[in-house]
């Protein structure tokens, strides 16, 4: 029995080293990928100025139409005064009402001329926040008399929907 214990003890003494050698490439790769993603992501202040403007200049509970569903966590961090049309995952809206989801998507992508009427009537949103990367939406908004630009920073634009 003593002879069998010695090989077993050797395996158990070497096992942590073997596990570390096998796990090291996975841990290193995932750490590098997470670091790259964190560095390539949005700066935490991207939506700050627009959100703070909305929090200080709109009635409590105003629904804000955002052109990106992933803007929501940033907006909510800076502005809990308002509500947001879509957040966390667009799948919820797409499952609940596919036609409304497609309209939101088309407006956000800049495929709807004069989007203010739909934003006001269909989405009941008196304000719009978009980042400057939504260039086609910004082009449509610029030609829409129903959207009034009320705030602009180097990263975002806020519009008031006239008649809303």
């Amino acid at each position: 029995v003593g002879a069998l214990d010695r090989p077993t003890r050797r395996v158990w003494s070497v096992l942590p080293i073997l596990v570390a050698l096998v796990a090291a490439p996975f841990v290193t790769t995932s750490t590098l990928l997470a670091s790259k993603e964190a560095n390539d992501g949005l700066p935490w202040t991207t939506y700050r100025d627009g959100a703070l403007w909305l929090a200080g200049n709109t009635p409590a509970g105003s629904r804000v139409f955002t052109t990106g569903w992933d803007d929501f966590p940033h907006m909510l961090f800076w502005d809990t005064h308002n509500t947001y049309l879509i957040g966390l995952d667009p799948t919820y809206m797409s499952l609940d009402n596919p036609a409304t989801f497609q309209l939101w998507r088309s407006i956000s992508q800049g495929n709807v001329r004069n989007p203010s009427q739909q934003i006001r009537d269909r989405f009941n949103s008196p304000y719009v926040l978009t980042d400057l990367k939504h260039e086609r939406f910004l082009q449509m908004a610029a030609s829409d008399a129903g959207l009034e630009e009320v705030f602009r920073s180097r990263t975002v634009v806020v519009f008031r929907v006239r008649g809303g």
Side-chain angles (χ1 to χ4, degrees):
V1 175
L4 293 176
D5 286 346
R6 189 171 288 152
T8 302
R9 276 186 275 170
R10 279 191 210 145
V11 168
W12 281 107
S13 67
V14 176
L15 189 61
I17 295 169
L18 292 174
V19 169
L21 288 173
V22 170
F26 297 106
V27 171
T28 302
T29 301
S30 66
T31 301
L32 290 174
L33 289 173
S35 175
K36 181 182 178 351
E37 187 172 309
N39 289 332
D40 292 347
L42 285 174
W44 66 279
T45 57
T46 298
Y47 296 92
R48 178 190 62 201
D49 296 338
L52 292 175
W53 186 92
L54 285 162
N57 294 282
T58 60
S62 295
R63 179 176 292 161
V64 179
F65 183 103
T66 55
T67 54
W69 66 270
D70 52 351
D71 306 347
F72 172 75
H74 300 271
M75 293 299 301
L76 189 64
F77 179 81
W78 295 108
D79 175 17
T80 58
H81 175 78
N82 291 305
T83 62
Y84 304 93
L85 181 66
I86 191 168
L88 299 180
D89 189 338
T91 306
Y92 297 117
M93 183 190 283
S94 70
L95 293 173
D96 182 57
N97 192 325
T100 300
F101 171 75
Q102 286 303 324
L103 178 60
W104 169 80
R105 190 169 174 216
S106 293
I107 291 170
S108 297
Q109 293 174 345
N111 296 327
V112 174
R113 290 200 180 280
N114 300 317
S116 62
Q117 182 180 358
Q118 296 290 344
I119 293 170
R120 179 185 59 244
D121 298 342
R122 190 85 179 267
F123 295 102
N124 194 28
S125 294
Y127 296 93
V128 177
L129 180 127
T130 186
D131 58 43
L132 299 181
K133 293 178 183 176
H134 284 85
E135 293 174 6
R136 287 187 50 142
F137 172 80
L138 288 168
Q139 290 171 352
M140 292 297 171
S143 65
D144 185 344
L147 291 175
E148 174 189 5
E149 184 176 313
V150 292
F151 178 83
R152 181 180 286 258
S153 72
R154 60 182 182 75
T155 56
V156 298
V157 180
V158 176
F159 296 95
R160 185 178 63 78
V161 180
R162 290 188 168 119

